[in-house]
């Protein structure tokens, strides 16, 4: 009986959506600009508002690592590589460090992969310490502020805590030498030791060309109500269950595996991208970390992201109105997911879809090659520009030290 009620409400919803959608298409071409300051911020041009000096490091910190394993170019942590390439030819780059607002150290700390392509973060702290020791010895700029006018790309699961398991990441904490720097990272969770107040949260890397190749005509109806592909349990790393995704993914599976409105599975079909474009809602639950590439994929393919990750800090939150384009479901409320989604009015769904159809929204989530106005590269620069001018308090007096170079786990202090 309950399944029949779901099916009936879904059919009614689809009919209303298609009819209303046709009218909206003629009137607004299915797009809507973000109103107010958020829309203005999203379309900001950072050129002329800041200058960045890029340290020239020995290739062992970046290019040689990539040559050893080119897979780093396609995994979800690749923003550190593409941000480096972008800055090298960006008009915001300055070759004169005396006129720089920001200093960037190109270190590829995630490019140490297992045979399965998963990053191993265990060498990352030593590598980062080595790079900081190098720039502090060869240039005077780090020592003026102990990194307060420097930014680093740290796209690990838990940013500069450098571990993929939350418990161990919390135990490690942010690398002490990065405490004064601005961290540009994919990880974002409020009131978490692995997120500093001044960090810039970015989307994970998703290959733009690959997604572009799987676009389907926009007039194809969205006939899937809820879509998800991925793990529900991680038996290898969480054999007893309950720790992975804080039990939220397991709850999705146990409650909705037989629900006809939910197209969910661990299988990853070749039509994955096409299926997302046929779906109304795409689940974006936390895994080991609160973020994943699904969020980017959902936005690109116009599928309303259903964000299940308590206290998550989303990419470019000052520019992208996540509350307006997504649906937030508390982890404890996952068993009521069907009721929550079927109760959203059709006109609310349609507006979210129009906002998602806005090209500027999609552009802000991508690191394209070559760079394009309004893309994620430019959103990072906008975030840095909004932090200027630096407060005079960041500049240290001669002999003044704020950082403890011997703090942290003993293993991190070994040479790299």
């Amino acid at each position: 009986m309950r399944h029949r009620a779901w099916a009936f409400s879904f059919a009614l919803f689809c009919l209303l959506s298609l009819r209303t959608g046709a009218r909206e298409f003629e009137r607004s071409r299915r797009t809507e600009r973000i109103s107010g300051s958020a829309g203005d911020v999203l379309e900001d041009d950072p050129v002329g508002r800041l200058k960045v000096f890029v340290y020239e490091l020995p290739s062992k910190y970046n290019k040689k690592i990539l040559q050893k394993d080119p897979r780093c170019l396609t995994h979800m942590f690749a923003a550190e590589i593409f941000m480096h390439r972008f800055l090298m030819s960006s008009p915001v780059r300055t070759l004169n460090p005396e006129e720089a607002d920001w200093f960037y150290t190109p270190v590829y700390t995630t490019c140490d992969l297992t045979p399965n392509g998963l990053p191993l973060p265990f060498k990352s702290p030593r590598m980062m310490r080595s790079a900081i020791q190098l720039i502090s010895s060869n240039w005077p700029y780090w020592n003026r502020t102990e990194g307060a006018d420097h930014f680093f790309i740290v796209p690990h699961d838990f940013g500069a805590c450098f571990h993929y398991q939350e418990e161990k990441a919390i135990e490690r904490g942010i690398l002490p030498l990065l405490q004064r720097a601005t961290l540009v990272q994919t990880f974002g969770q409020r009131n978490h030791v692995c997120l500093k107040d001044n960090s810039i949260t970015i989307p994970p890397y998703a290959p733009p060309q690959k997604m572009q190749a799987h676009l389907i005509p926009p007039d194809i109806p969205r006939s899937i109500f809820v879509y998800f592909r991925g793990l529900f349990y991680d038996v290898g790393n969480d054999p007893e269950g309950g720790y992975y995704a804080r039990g939220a993914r397991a709850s999705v599976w146990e409650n909705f595996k037989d629900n006809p409105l939910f197209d969910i599975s661990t299988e990853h079909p070749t039509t994955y991208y096409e299926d997302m474009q046929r779906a109304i809602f795409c689940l974006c639950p936390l895994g080991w970390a609160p973020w994943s590439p699904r969020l980017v994929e959902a936005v690109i393919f116009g599928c309303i992201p259903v964000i299940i990750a308590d206290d998550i800090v989303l990419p470019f939150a000052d520019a992208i109105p996540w509350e307006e384009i997504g649906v937030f479901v508390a982890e404890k409320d996952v068993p009521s997911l069907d009721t929550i989604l079927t109760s959203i009015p059709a006109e609310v769904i349609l507006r979210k879809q129009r906002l998602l159809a806005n090209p500027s929204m999609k552009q802000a989530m991508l690191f394209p090659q070559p760079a394009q106005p309004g893309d994620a590269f430019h959103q990072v620069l906008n975030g840095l520009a909004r932090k200027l001018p630096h407060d005079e308090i960041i500049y240290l007096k001669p002999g003044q030290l704020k950082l403890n170079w011997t703090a942290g786990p003993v293993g991190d202090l070994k040479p790299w």
Side-chain angles (χ1 to χ4, degrees):
M1 178 67 71
R2 194 179 180 193
H3 282 181
R4 283 202 297 271
W6 281 330
F8 177 75
S9 64
F10 178 41
L12 200 61
F13 175 86
C14 285
L15 183 61
L16 178 61
S17 294
L18 289 172
R19 286 178 177 174
T20 311
R23 293 194 300 269
E24 292 295 327
F25 179 77
E26 293 303 321
R27 187 166 71 245
S28 65
R29 296 185 182 273
R30 287 188 181 174
T31 69
E32 183 173 326
R33 185 184 183 276
I34 310 156
S35 60
S37 60
D40 295 336
V41 169
L42 195 63
E43 295 166 9
D44 274 352
D45 183 359
V47 176
R49 298 166 56 211
L50 77 166
K51 293 183 178 181
V52 177
F53 179 76
V54 180
Y55 287 113
E56 290 284 349
L57 300 186
S59 60
K60 69 175 184 177
Y61 290 99
N62 39 63
K63 294 177 183 177
K64 279 190 176 178
I65 297 174
L66 181 57
Q67 289 171 358
K68 180 181 176 182
D69 197 338
R71 292 180 300 168
C72 297
L73 284 169
T74 56
H75 69 44
M76 60 184 173
F77 305 104
E80 61 183 0
I81 298 170
F82 291 109
M83 194 72 198
H84 180 202
R85 292 182 175 181
F86 163 73
L87 285 170
M88 293 300 286
S89 58
S90 170
V92 306
R93 184 189 179 196
T94 177
L95 300 179
N96 179 8
E98 293 296 334
E99 67 177 19
D101 301 297
W102 289 100
F103 296 83
Y104 167 64
T105 308
V107 187
Y108 299 171
T109 57
T110 64
C111 194
D112 182 15
L113 306 181
T114 66
N116 292 333
L118 300 175
L120 293 169
F122 311 116
K123 297 178 185 176
S124 302
R126 288 159 45 207
M127 183 181 181
M128 187 68 80
R129 279 180 58 89
S130 174
I132 293 173
Q133 286 172 334
L134 179 68
I135 63 172
S136 65
S137 300
N138 292 1
W139 289 272
Y141 307 105
W142 172 274
N143 299 316
R144 294 188 313 188
T145 66
E146 285 197 317
D149 53 358
H150 288 55
F151 70 93
F152 294 82
I153 315 294
V154 282
H156 281 276
D157 289 283
F158 289 93
C161 287
F162 296 124
H163 208 287
Y164 59 87
Q165 291 184 336
E166 184 173 21
E167 190 176 82
K168 294 180 179 178
I170 291 173
E171 183 181 337
R172 292 185 60 88
I174 292 173
L175 185 71
L177 293 185
L178 294 176
Q179 290 291 347
R180 288 172 59 81
T182 290
L183 303 181
V184 178
Q185 58 187 66
T186 44
F187 171 74
Q189 183 173 318
R190 288 185 291 276
N191 305 313
H192 199 286
V193 299
C194 298
L195 180 69
K196 283 158 35 74
D197 287 342
N198 68 336
S199 298
I200 296 173
T201 309
I202 63 172
Y205 177 77
Q209 292 85 355
K210 183 179 179 182
M211 289 190 290
Q212 183 75 24
H214 288 267
L215 289 176
I216 63 177
D219 57 348
I220 291 181
R222 291 186 177 267
S223 55
I224 301 170
F225 191 59
V226 180
Y227 188 75
F228 176 78
R229 290 295 184 271
L231 291 178
F232 297 99
Y233 305 90
D234 188 348
V235 178
N237 293 298
D238 181 27
E240 297 181 6
Y243 185 64
Y244 176 63
R246 296 196 284 260
R249 292 195 186 200
S251 182
V252 169
W253 179 249
E254 295 302 330
N255 284 283
F256 305 111
K257 60 186 175 184
D258 297 320
N259 187 317
L261 298 185
F262 283 67
D263 187 346
I264 58 176
S265 172
T266 56
E267 297 178 2
H268 204 289
T270 56
T271 56
Y272 173 69
Y273 284 156
E274 288 83 356
D275 292 344
M276 291 188 84
Q277 294 169 78
R278 296 187 181 97
I280 296 170
F281 295 105
C282 288
L283 301 185
C284 301
L286 73 162
W288 284 112
W291 60 272
S292 82
R294 287 181 191 83
L295 191 67
V296 178
E297 295 161 350
V299 171
I300 297 304
F301 294 132
C303 186
I304 297 169
V306 180
I307 299 157
I308 307 170
D310 293 354
D311 296 319
I312 189 172
V313 177
L314 290 161
F316 310 131
D318 55 350
I320 296 178
W322 290 105
E323 294 284 351
E324 295 185 50
I325 64 173
V327 176
F328 289 78
V329 177
E331 294 165 27
K332 66 178 179 59
D333 293 335
V334 166
S336 303
L337 195 53
D338 54 343
T339 304
I340 292 170
L341 297 180
T342 55
S343 65
I344 299 175
E347 59 269 20
V348 174
I349 301 293
L350 287 167
R351 181 166 189 270
K352 291 180 185 293
Q353 290 175 333
R354 291 197 304 272
L355 285 170
L356 284 168
N358 190 318
S360 64
M361 190 81 69
K362 302 176 188 297
Q363 192 77 322
M365 299 294 286
L366 294 175
F367 295 93
Q369 304 295 306
Q372 300 171 16
D375 62 17
F377 298 118
H378 290 84
Q379 301 305 328
V380 171
L381 294 183
N382 281 333
L384 293 169
R386 286 192 287 274
K387 294 179 182 294
L388 298 175
H390 294 297
D391 195 310
E392 287 296 320
I393 200 172
I394 73 168
Y395 297 99
L396 304 178
K397 297 176 183 177
Q400 184 183 10
L401 296 175
K402 294 276 189 179
L403 300 178
N404 183 353
W405 284 75
T406 60
V410 175
D412 292 356
L413 305 181
K414 296 178 181 178
W416 178 70

